[in-house]
Amino acid sequence: MGPPADKNLETKEVDLRSMSSSSHGQAPQVYKVAVPPRQNLFKEFQATIKETFFADDPLRPFKDQTKSRKLVLGIEAIFPILKWGRSYNLKKFRGDLISGLTIASLCIPQDIAYAKLANLDPQYGLYSSFVPPLIYAVMGSSRDIAIGPVAVVSLLLGTLLSHEIDPKENAAEYRRLAFTATFFAGITQATLGVLRLGFLIDFLSHAAIVGFMGGAAITISLQQLKGFLGIKTQHFTKKTDIISVLHSVFNTAHHGWNWQTIVIGASFLGFLLVAKYIGKKNNRLFWVPAIAPLISVILSTFFVFITRADKQGVEIVRKIEKGINPSSVKDLYLTGENLAKGFKIGIVAGMIALTEATAIGRTFASIKDYQLDGNKEMVALGAMNVVGSMTSCYVATGSFSRSAVNFMAGCQTAVSNIVMSVVVFLTLEFMTRLFKYTPNAILSAIIISAVINLIDLEAAILIWKIDKFDFVACMGAFFGVVFVSVEIGLLIAVSISFAKILLQVTRPRTAILGKIPRTTVYRNIQQYPEASKVPGVLIVRVDSAIYFSNSNYVKERTLRWLMDEEEKVKGEYRTKIQFLIVEMSPVTDIDTSGIQAFEELHRSLEKRGVELVLANPGTAVIDKLYASNFANTIGEDKIFLTVAEAVAYCSPKVVVDP
C-alpha cells in the first residue's frame, strides 16, 4: 500500500481514537437504550385497533358531552346537512344556484350519452342524476363533488354486464342485473365506510389508476366510433380492445359509414374541443365548456329536425321515457344465479367508483383547506347507490369534469347537487320529448370530448421520472385495457400494485453507512460519497420493519454485505472486519421470524469472529429483543443509542492486521 493510503488510514484511526478516548478530558455521557415498561395486553390490543381503524379519532367531538348533545352529534355525523344547514344563507345559495344550473347544463347531455356506454336507455342516465345527488347532499361531507354517472364506471359496468346478459336480446333482464350490481356496489361502499376499511382502496396505486384511466379513455373513444361514423350496431364488434374495434371500423368503411353523421359528429366535436380550450386558457370562462355540450345537443337536434337527416341514415335517440324514476325494488335479483353475478360486478364497479370519488373529494378539499372524512364519504356514496338501485338508477359517483365546473362556478355547499337534481327532475317531467331528434353522433362527440382529459401524459411522464416500477404498473394497466379488455386492465393494475407492495415488503432496502467528515453523523455511502468507512467495522442499516416475509432476506443480505467487505479488505490489505453494527432506527417492528433471523445472523458472525452490535432499536423492537432473551444473548452492553456510540465502543478493540 502506498504512502497516501497509509496516511489516509492513519488519519481515520486517529479520528476514531479521539472519538472513543475517555482518558483525556471529561468522558461524554452515554445513554443506554431504554426498555419500555410492560404494557397491559388488552390495552395494547385496544390501542392497535384504535390506531388502525380510528386513527382520525372520530369520537373526539363526543367527549365530555351530555347524552342529549351526543345524540344530536350522532345524527349530525350521519346527516351533515343538519350541521352546516344551520349557517346556510342567501349568499351561499346564490353561489350554489349558479353552480347547480351550470353543472345541470353539463350533466343532462352527458347522462344521456353515458347511459349508452352502460348499454341502458337514455332515461336511466338522467335517473342516476336525480335521486343519488339528493341522497348525497343530505349525507355527504364534500362541498364540491358533483354526483352522477361517469364514463369509466359506465363503460366498466356495461362491459361486465354484457358478458353475462345480452342487452339487446334480454333488455329487461339486463336492466335487472344492472340494478342488482348497483345495489351491491352501494353495499360494498357503505360496508367499507361503516367498518372503517377505507384504506383498502389505497392499495390501487396512483400510477395504476393513471394507466387504467388513460386506457379506459382510449377504449371509450374507440367505442364511440360506432355512433360517430354512423355504423349500424349489427355491423360493429361487441369487443372493446383496439384491434377488434379498428378491424370492425375499417371493414365497414365501404358500406357502413354515413357521411351526414360524420359531418355532424366532427363539427360538434371540434366545437366542444375549442370550448374546452377556451375554458382552460381563461378560468373566468369556465362556463363556456360547461354549457357547450347542451348547446351542441340543442343545435344538432334542431338541425336534424329541420333537415330530417334521420331519414338519410342519421341515427337519433328517438325516445326518452317521460317521468321520474320508477321503483325497481322488485327488479333486484336477491336469489338465483344472477345474485352472484350482480354481487361480483357490483364489488368491482363499487370499488372503482369509490376510488374516483375519493380522489376527487380529497383534491378539492385540499384546495379549499377543509377536512374530508373518507369513511363518512363511503357511507354516503354507498347509501345513495343502494337507494339508487331501488329507483331505477345505475352506479353513480363523483364526476371529475362536473366537480371541476362546480368548483369553478363558486359552489358553497352540496346544495348545488340539489339544484342540479331539480333541473334533471324538470327535464324528465317536461322536456324529454325535445331530445327525440338528438343524433347519436353528438352524444359520441360529447363522450369523446369528456374522456380526453383522462389521458394524463404529464402524470405518466412524471411517474417515469420518479419511479420506474410505478411506470410499469401504469403502462401495464394502460395496455391491458387498450389491447385486451377493461376488466383485464383493471386486474393488471391491481396485480401490479400488489406486486409492488410485496416486493417492497419482501425486499427492503439496506445500506452501508459511513462517517460524514468532521461530524459524528453516519449516512449511506452511496448518497454521501465523502462519507468514510470505519476500519474494522461494518455499519449496515435496514430500512424496513423485519417480519417473516423479509427476515431471511435481511439476514442473507447483511451477510453478503459482510462478504463483499471482507473481499475488499483482503484486496486492499485493510483492517479485517471485526464488528458488524446494525443501525435499527428505521426498523419500526420485528416479529418472531425476525428475532430468529437475528439469532442465526449472530451465530454466523460468531463463526467468522465478528461481533454483532445494535444501534437505536425502537420501542417495539427493544421490547421484543428483551422478551426473546436475544438482548442477553448478544450482551446488553452491545446495544447503543446511536451509531457514533456503537463505533466508539468498537474502535478501541479493533486489531490492526500487521
Side-chain angles (χ1 to χ4, degrees):
M1 181 180 287
D6 288 339
K7 187 176 181 181
N8 187 37
L9 179 60
E10 183 180 350
T11 302
K12 289 181 180 179
E13 290 179 345
V14 168
D15 185 37
L16 289 170
R17 284 197 296 273
S18 63
M19 242 178 63
S20 60
S21 176
S22 59
S23 58
H24 302 288
Q26 187 176 356
Q29 185 175 1
V30 177
Y31 287 93
K32 284 292 184 182
V33 176
V35 182
R38 299 295 297 174
Q39 296 289 321
N40 178 281
L41 182 61
F42 175 74
K43 288 185 177 180
E44 189 174 356
F45 178 75
Q46 189 180 36
T48 302
I49 292 295
K50 181 181 178 182
E51 195 60 32
T52 302
F53 297 103
F54 304 96
D56 55 345
D57 197 8
L59 300 179
R60 179 181 294 176
F62 294 85
K63 189 176 181 181
D64 301 326
Q65 300 291 338
T66 62
K67 289 184 178 180
S68 59
R69 181 59 182 160
K70 287 179 180 179
L71 178 62
V72 171
L73 290 173
I75 296 173
E76 288 179 351
I78 300 173
F79 305 106
I81 193 172
L82 298 176
K83 182 177 181 180
W84 57 259
R86 290 198 298 268
S87 60
Y88 198 71
N89 53 42
L90 187 60
K91 183 180 178 181
K92 290 182 179 179
F93 178 70
R94 281 199 297 267
D96 288 334
L97 179 62
I98 295 171
S99 301
L101 293 173
T102 307
I103 58 176
S105 68
L106 177 62
C107 88
I108 291 169
Q110 280 189 348
D111 290 345
I112 296 171
Y114 292 160
K116 284 180 58 186
L117 283 178
N119 298 316
L120 293 166
D121 293 331
Q123 64 268 19
Y124 293 102
L126 294 170
Y127 292 162
S128 301
S129 279
F130 173 46
V131 172
L134 293 175
I135 303 299
Y136 182 84
V138 174
M139 299 185 67
S141 53
S142 172
R143 306 171 195 168
D144 305 283
I145 285 182
I147 298 296
V150 296
V152 173
V153 177
S154 298
L155 175 69
L156 179 66
L157 199 64
T159 303
L160 296 177
L161 290 171
S162 59
H163 287 172
E164 304 296 340
I165 298 174
D166 190 297
K168 297 295 182 184
E169 295 180 4
N170 300 296
E173 289 185 21
Y174 182 89
R175 282 197 301 273
R176 292 186 65 188
L177 189 59
F179 299 150
T180 305
T182 302
F183 175 78
F184 284 112
I187 292 294
T188 300
Q189 293 168 339
T191 301
L192 290 175
V194 170
L195 298 181
R196 306 188 68 78
L197 298 175
F199 59 85
L200 292 178
I201 63 172
D202 293 331
F203 281 95
L204 192 59
S205 69
H206 171 70
I209 292 173
V210 169
F212 175 75
M213 290 295 189
I218 298 292
T219 300
I220 290 168
S221 299
L222 289 172
Q223 286 289 303
Q224 299 319 301
L225 291 177
K226 176 176 62 177
F228 196 83
L229 302 174
I231 301 172
K232 301 291 183 182
T233 302
Q234 60 268 28
H235 297 149
F236 199 79
T237 182
K238 293 181 180 179
K239 296 180 180 179
T240 60
D241 64 282
I242 187 171
I243 295 173
S244 298
V245 172
L246 291 180
H247 183 267
S248 180
V249 168
F250 290 121
N251 275 352
T252 59
H254 297 296
H255 60 84
W257 295 9
N258 180 276
W259 71 267
Q260 293 98 328
T261 301
I262 296 173
V263 169
I264 293 171
S267 300
F268 283 101
L269 178 59
F271 169 69
L272 291 167
L273 293 178
V274 169
K276 186 167 286 189
Y277 176 79
I278 292 171
K280 191 174 289 186
K281 281 294 181 180
N282 190 338
N283 288 339
R284 287 179 295 180
L285 298 176
F286 68 90
W287 52 269
V288 173
I291 66 169
L294 187 60
I295 292 174
S296 299
V297 168
I298 293 171
L299 291 178
S300 62
T301 302
F302 181 70
F303 174 77
V304 171
F305 176 72
I306 63 172
T307 62
R308 296 315 305 262
D310 56 307
K311 297 196 180 292
Q312 304 300 318
V314 175
E315 291 290 327
I316 58 176
V317 171
R318 296 194 185 279
K319 185 180 180 182
I320 299 178
E321 291 290 340
K322 178 185 175 183
I324 60 172
N325 310 33
S327 173
S328 55
V329 175
K330 294 181 180 179
D331 291 335
L332 299 177
Y333 285 116
L334 300 179
T335 57
E337 61 177 356
N338 284 335
L339 169 64
K341 295 176 182 177
F343 179 74
K344 177 182 66 176
I345 296 170
I347 289 177
V348 176
M351 291 294 282
I352 294 299
L354 198 56
T355 302
E356 188 166 354
T358 302
I360 293 168
R362 287 174 179 172
T363 299
F364 290 108
S366 175
I367 293 172
K368 285 192 174 180
D369 193 26
Y370 65 89
Q371 294 298 317
L372 196 66
D373 189 325
N375 292 293
K376 285 183 183 178
E377 283 293 284
M378 292 175 198
V379 173
L381 292 166
M384 79 180 191
N385 278 315
V386 169
V387 175
S389 70
M390 300 177 182
T391 52
S392 300
C393 304
Y394 73 94
V395 180
T397 186
S399 165
F400 190 83
S401 59
R402 273 177 258 178
S403 299
V405 170
N406 197 30
F407 171 79
M408 296 296 292
C411 69
Q412 299 295 314
T413 66
V415 169
S416 60
N417 274 293
I418 298 175
V419 174
M420 178 189 71
S421 183
V422 170
V423 175
V424 172
F425 162 75
L426 295 174
T427 302
L428 284 166
E429 282 289 352
F430 305 110
M431 290 182 278
T432 54
R433 292 174 62 187
L434 300 178
F435 295 100
K436 179 180 179 180
Y437 290 98
T438 300
N440 288 338
I442 193 62
L443 301 181
S444 296
I446 289 170
I447 291 175
I448 292 171
S449 67
V451 301
I452 282 176
N453 285 346
L454 295 178
I455 305 172
D456 197 341
L457 292 177
E458 290 183 3
I461 293 170
L462 184 62
I463 290 168
W464 166 259
K465 290 179 180 177
I466 295 174
D467 192 318
K468 301 301 185 287
F469 194 94
D470 266 355
F471 186 76
V472 171
C474 179
M475 289 297 100
F478 176 82
F479 288 119
V481 173
V482 171
F483 286 100
V484 188
S485 65
V486 176
E487 59 268 36
I488 293 298
L490 182 59
L491 181 62
I492 291 173
V494 173
S495 299
I496 294 179
S497 296
F498 271 101
K500 182 181 180 182
I501 294 170
L502 290 174
L503 187 63
Q504 291 176 335
V505 169
T506 59
R507 294 294 183 268
R509 294 182 183 274
T510 57
I512 292 181
L513 306 185
K515 180 177 177 291
I516 302 294
R518 296 178 297 280
T519 72
T520 58
V521 176
Y522 291 80
R523 291 293 183 266
N524 187 343
I525 59 174
Q526 288 186 340
Q527 184 178 1
Y528 300 92
E530 69 275 17
S532 58
K533 296 179 182 177
V534 180
V537 180
L538 175 64
I539 309 169
V540 175
R541 187 183 68 211
V542 181
D543 294 335
S544 167
I546 302 175
Y547 293 131
F548 66 93
S549 56
N550 61 23
S551 58
N552 194 53
Y553 170 79
V554 169
K555 180 196 73 175
E556 292 179 354
R557 187 69 187 94
T558 304
L559 289 173
R560 283 205 306 277
W561 280 127
L562 181 62
M563 287 188 285
D564 291 343
E565 288 301 305
E566 286 177 339
E567 288 176 4
K568 290 179 183 177
V569 166
K570 289 178 183 177
E572 298 175 8
Y573 303 101
R574 292 188 300 172
T575 306
K576 179 178 179 248
I577 300 297
Q578 298 168 44
F579 292 91
L580 172 67
I581 299 175
V582 181
E583 154 70 305
M584 302 189 74
S585 297
V587 182
T588 55
D589 202 359
I590 191 169
D591 65 2
T592 51
S593 297
I595 297 291
Q596 185 179 8
F598 267 93
E599 290 173 346
E600 293 172 2
L601 175 65
H602 176 59
R603 288 195 293 269
S604 297
L605 294 175
E606 279 188 324
K607 293 176 183 178
R608 296 167 181 263
V610 178
E611 292 185 40
L612 177 63
V613 178
L614 305 181
N616 196 27
T619 303
V621 176
I622 194 67
D623 186 37
K624 293 177 182 179
L625 291 179
Y626 275 94
S628 64
N629 207 38
F630 181 70
N632 295 326
T633 301
I634 65 170
E636 293 183 21
D637 60 333
K638 294 180 183 176
I639 302 176
F640 295 90
L641 190 63
T642 66
V643 174
E645 291 176 358
V647 171
Y649 165 82
C650 299
S651 55
K653 302 183 180 183
V654 172
V655 179
V656 180
D657 293 335

